[in-house]
Amino acid sequence: MQEYEYIAPCHFGLEAVLKREINDIGYEIVEVSDGRVIFKGDAGALARANIFVRTAERIMLRVGTFKATTFDELFEKTKALPWEEYLPSDAKFWVTKATTNKSKLFSASDIQSIVKKAIVDRLKGVYRIGWFEENGAEYPIRIFIMKDIVTVALDTSGVSLHKRGYRQLVGKAPISETLAAALIMLTPWNKDRILIDPFCGSGTFPIEAALIGANIAPGMNREFTAENWKNIVPKKVWYEAITEAEDGIIRDVSMNIQGYDLDGDIVKCAMANAREAGVEEYIHFQQRDMKMLSSPKKYGFIITNPPYGERLEDKESLPKLYKDMGQAFDKLDTWSKFIITSYEDAEKYLGRKATKNRKIYNGMIKSYFYQYMGPKPPRQNTSDNQ
């Protein structure tokens, strides 16, 4: 089977987590740069990466990379790529997005138009036709230009991979599914340890933890654009990947995952989302004030995305909120706590400096992942770890 190069973008600061995931499913890493991992694999890698990888935003098949500083150069070098190897004569293709940074070519709309014209020109000569009906499978194209280096890729995922299909209802300022999964995977949490999210919102952290704990592949219940690319990925490859995902589920797993929120309506949303994800049996959701946080377990994990003042009027309440949070967390002094927030005074009001502080970009928002590591539970005292 032919080998391809794939581009997997992710949140800035989480490349190492994505690299580990791709290695774990058996593919060779070609390059790691800010917000992206490039890897090699056959057509099966396209299907398996879309279905199994939790932390990538999408999977793209690289068609080519070249330098271009003029629109003529962009046209000619795009036309020189072997598009007939990817696009059948009835393909519906368009440049869905063009981004450019620190480059001489900066007009996204012009880049999109010129790339489309170059591909049409190439395929007219190959297929000996003057007009393309474009009534077949969809092949969205993405263009990235960085320091005059153009990367041309086919978007295999379609809808972003953070849309797992379970989150029908959301609260305000929800964390994305891919970011939540990556942050959980940055911690030492595993399915045998209790996990609490005291600001659970629509339930993303608890649900992603349950999916990880039960080894449920994140892309099992959604569709991908490349499912219709029969010229590149045979249908049986998708069936095999789904069967592999089904076989990998740990069906007899027992987990103690809890999600709390002050808003009763959003707790109902979280319950509905967990039901949709097929993990409701693993999570206990409850309307509860963060100040009431408690647990009889001596060791455990808190992973949470508290409010950080999206609106100006909310910012005034942050010092008290974070002070209250610090006092509540201190009651569980042997627990490990992990907090993502863009609030820069978080440590000051939490009352303690974090063991580790990692800068993460949540979209365009610069955030911090504060990690407060608790002591490891003694090995012999397994009842405390449940």
Side-chain angles (χ1 to χ4, degrees), residues 72-339:
D72 282 345
E73 206 173 3
L74 176 67
F75 181 92
E76 293 300 335
K77 290 185 176 178
T78 299
K79 183 180 173 181
L81 296 172
W83 286 102
E84 63 277 7
E85 293 178 13
Y86 304 96
L87 303 178
S89 59
D90 66 346
K92 180 180 181 181
F93 60 96
W94 71 102
V95 182
T96 182
K97 191 170 185 182
T99 57
T100 175
N101 193 11
K102 299 177 184 173
S103 301
K104 291 184 177 63
L105 301 178
F106 56 83
S107 167
S109 58
D110 286 336
I111 291 164
Q112 287 172 289
S113 174
I114 286 163
V115 167
K116 170 82 178 191
K117 283 177 186 170
I119 299 169
V120 168
D121 216 43
R122 166 89 184 197
L123 294 181
K124 273 183 180 178
V126 173
Y127 291 126
R128 302 279 192 268
I129 52 177
W131 177 260
F132 292 90
E133 293 288 341
E134 297 198 43
N135 55 4
E138 296 184 347
Y139 293 77
I141 297 159
R142 289 183 173 244
I143 308 294
F144 307 89
I145 308 180
M146 168 63 82
K147 295 180 181 176
D148 299 323
I149 302 299
V150 181
T151 298
V152 184
L154 291 169
D155 178 4
T156 77
S157 304
V159 175
S160 173
L161 293 180
H162 80 267
K163 297 201 173 176
R164 318 283 205 217
Y166 67 75
R167 201 163 75 175
Q168 308 300 314
L169 303 157
V170 297
K172 49 176 191 176
I175 192 166
S176 80
E177 295 88 326
T178 45
L179 179 54
L183 294 177
I184 293 166
M185 292 163 75
L186 271 179
T187 78
W189 178 82
N190 66 65
K191 65 182 185 302
D192 300 322
R193 305 287 299 277
I194 181 174
L195 185 153
I196 295 177
D197 180 357
F199 296 95
C200 74
S202 50
T204 311
F205 269 131
I207 292 169
E208 288 297 320
L211 291 171
I212 292 168
N215 200 36
I216 297 171
M220 280 184 68
N221 297 311
R222 53 157 287 168
E223 296 176 343
F224 307 97
T225 298
E227 285 181 62
N228 296 314
W229 297 359
K230 294 174 187 142
N231 60 316
I232 297 174
V233 198
K235 269 286 182 192
K236 71 167 194 160
V237 169
W238 291 99
Y239 295 139
E240 286 165 0
I242 289 291
T243 301
E244 180 188 353
E246 288 275 3
D247 292 346
I249 296 172
I250 307 169
R251 300 187 187 275
D252 59 350
V253 68
S254 175
M255 289 183 276
N256 188 344
I257 300 172
Q258 300 171 27
Y260 307 137
D261 204 280
L262 193 57
D263 184 336
D265 288 335
I266 202 67
V267 169
K268 288 176 187 170
C269 291
M271 289 175 174
N273 291 338
R275 210 162 31 245
E276 194 68 32
V279 294
E280 62 178 324
E281 65 185 290
Y282 306 124
I283 309 170
H284 170 69
F285 287 109
Q286 186 180 340
Q287 181 179 1
R288 185 192 285 192
D289 192 322
M290 168 271 300
K291 289 184 278 191
M292 305 302 291
L293 182 65
S294 65
S295 174
K297 301 294 183 185
K298 190 172 181 184
Y299 301 98
F301 283 76
I302 292 169
I303 305 178
T304 195
N305 173 37
Y308 42 81
E310 304 87 47
R311 296 174 303 184
L312 192 61
E313 60 267 30
D314 294 334
K315 289 190 185 296
E316 296 170 8
S317 64
L318 290 183
K320 183 178 186 317
L321 175 71
Y322 279 74
K323 193 173 180 182
D324 289 344
M325 199 190 330
Q327 289 170 354
F329 287 4
D330 283 347
K331 289 185 285 185
L332 299 174
D333 59 347
T334 51
W335 282 45
S336 294
K337 297 113 182 175
F338 300 86
I339 304 152

Side-chain angles (χ1 to χ4, degrees), residues 26-99:
Y27 299 111
E28 180 191 344
I29 305 295
V30 174
E31 181 189 328
V32 179
S33 57
D34 286 348
R36 102 176 21 175
V37 175
I38 300 173
F39 64 100
K40 280 183 184 176
D42 59 14
L46 186 160
R48 293 182 72 243
N50 272 298
I51 290 167
F52 287 100
V53 173
R54 299 180 190 279
T55 61
E57 294 304 303
R58 61 185 65 249
I59 303 297
M60 295 175 289
L61 192 164
R62 176 149 68 176
V63 177
T65 298
F66 52 82
K67 185 173 183 178
T69 57
T70 67
F71 285 125
D72 282 345
E73 206 173 3
L74 176 67
F75 181 92
E76 293 300 335
K77 290 185 176 178
T78 299
K79 183 180 173 181
L81 296 172
W83 286 102
E84 63 277 7
E85 293 178 13
Y86 304 96
L87 303 178
S89 59
D90 66 346
K92 180 180 181 181
F93 60 96
W94 71 102
V95 182
T96 182
K97 191 170 185 182
T99 57

